[in-house]
Amino acid sequence: MKREVTITVNGVTHTRTVEPRLLLVHFLRDELGLTGTNVGCDSSQCGACTVHLDGQAVKSCTVLAVQADGCRVTTIEGLANGTLHPLQQAFWEKHGLQCGFCTPGMIMASADLLSRIPNPTEEDIRHGLDGNLCRCTGYQNIVAAVQAAAEKLRIEN
Ligand code: FES
Ligand code: FES
């Protein structure tokens, strides 16, 4: 039986009637048209679907939309605030993306990482992103981008 859910996504509250089996990633992409959150594997392996749920990074292919009822979700579209978020800027400047498919998930996982560890070592970054796969294998520039963003955020804060 369908259920009504109310989820605040990027600061806007949405109420929809959904199938109980609907995954959060499909709610975001298909119900709300927020296609920055990607589906890479649908089995919790790749991290392309990473969003923030009540401030914490989750793989939205492992969360049902009904489980997010009453919660706050931030997607890659919500990270920019008029200008690019320092992580978005740094991925651009440091060439942290190739095809870009994994990038939204990488950035959302990195944002969570930097909120917990503002001054991460390279090992911290690699460990923090080990649930996010880049099929282009451009990991070196991704690490450099996260380091650059961390420095900028420390200066800003
Ligand atoms: S689509 Fe969610 S982890 Fe791959
Ligand atoms: S940039 Fe292509 S999968 Fe990562």
Side-chain angles (χ1 to χ4, degrees):
M1 201 167 80
K2 289 193 172 187
R3 271 195 44 191
E4 186 175 279
V5 295
T6 299
I7 306 174
T8 300
V9 181
N10 301 333
V12 180
T13 300
H14 301 270
T15 300
R16 294 282 192 284
T17 302
V18 301
E19 294 284 351
R21 66 174 182 275
L22 183 72
L23 295 171
L24 179 59
V25 65
H26 295 308
F27 179 84
L28 296 170
R29 290 179 58 88
D30 303 339
E31 291 284 334
L32 304 186
L34 294 170
T35 54
T37 303
N38 289 323
V39 181
C41 66
D42 228 352
S43 57
S44 184
Q45 303 293 313
C46 74
C49 62
T50 305
V51 300
H52 293 180
L53 181 64
D54 284 342
Q56 290 199 323
V58 297
K59 292 180 175 177
S60 61
C61 74
T62 64
V63 178
L64 296 167
V66 293
Q67 290 175 298
D69 189 21
C71 296
R72 276 179 305 113
V73 172
T74 305
T75 70
I76 189 69
E77 290 91 344
L79 208 59
N81 186 13
T83 57
L84 292 180
H85 184 279
L87 274 163
Q88 293 169 316
Q89 186 76 28
F91 268 67
W92 178 16
E93 289 175 359
K94 299 290 180 186
H95 309 289
L97 60 150
Q98 294 180 68
C99 76
F101 194 80
C102 66
T103 309
M106 287 282 182
I107 288 179
M108 298 312 288
S110 299
D112 184 355
L113 171 70
L114 295 183
S115 73
R116 291 179 285 107
I117 309 176
N119 192 5
T121 63
E122 178 172 343
E123 194 185 344
D124 291 333
I125 295 169
R126 289 185 184 276
H127 180 67
L129 294 180
D130 66 3
N132 291 72
L133 304 181
C134 173
R135 287 170 173 79
C136 312
T137 67
Y139 293 103
Q140 194 58 44
N141 288 354
I142 289 171
V143 172
V146 177
Q147 285 172 323
E151 191 179 337
K152 188 165 180 205
L153 283 163
R154 285 198 303 275
I155 292 168
E156 282 180 3
N157 298 327

